[in-house]
Amino acid sequence: LGSSVDTILGATLQARFRCVTCGARSEDPGDHAPGHGMRRISGMTWMTNSMVNLVSALASGLVAFLLTG
């Protein structure tokens, strides 16, 4: 379940950025060459890879809790 949630959120809501200087793509705007500006090209700015992982883990934990009573 966690893997499925991760895949769906990553494909639909996770932010993706493109460098306005060289065109490189990244999921983290701070993970690029200094002085190069990154522009969001898709997703929600706050939905980082860490947030996707957190939501996936919480969803899995909630389902496990509900199934075990």
Side-chain angles (χ1 to χ4, degrees):
L1 175 69
S3 178
S4 296
V5 171
D6 186 278
T7 299
I8 292 167
L9 290 178
T12 59
L13 299 179
Q14 184 173 341
R16 288 179 182 74
F17 301 87
R18 179 177 296 163
C19 178
V20 296
T21 305
C22 68
R25 294 182 182 200
S26 178
E27 295 174 349
D28 182 358
D31 185 29
H32 193 57
H36 287 213
M38 299 295 280
R39 177 178 293 144
R40 184 175 55 89
I41 57 173
S42 66
M44 299 176 156
T45 303
W46 58 271
M47 186 59 84
T48 63
N49 187 56
S50 295
M51 186 61 73
V52 168
N53 293 340
L54 175 65
V55 172
S56 300
L58 291 174
S60 298
L62 177 62
V63 169
F65 175 77
L66 294 173
L67 290 176
T68 59

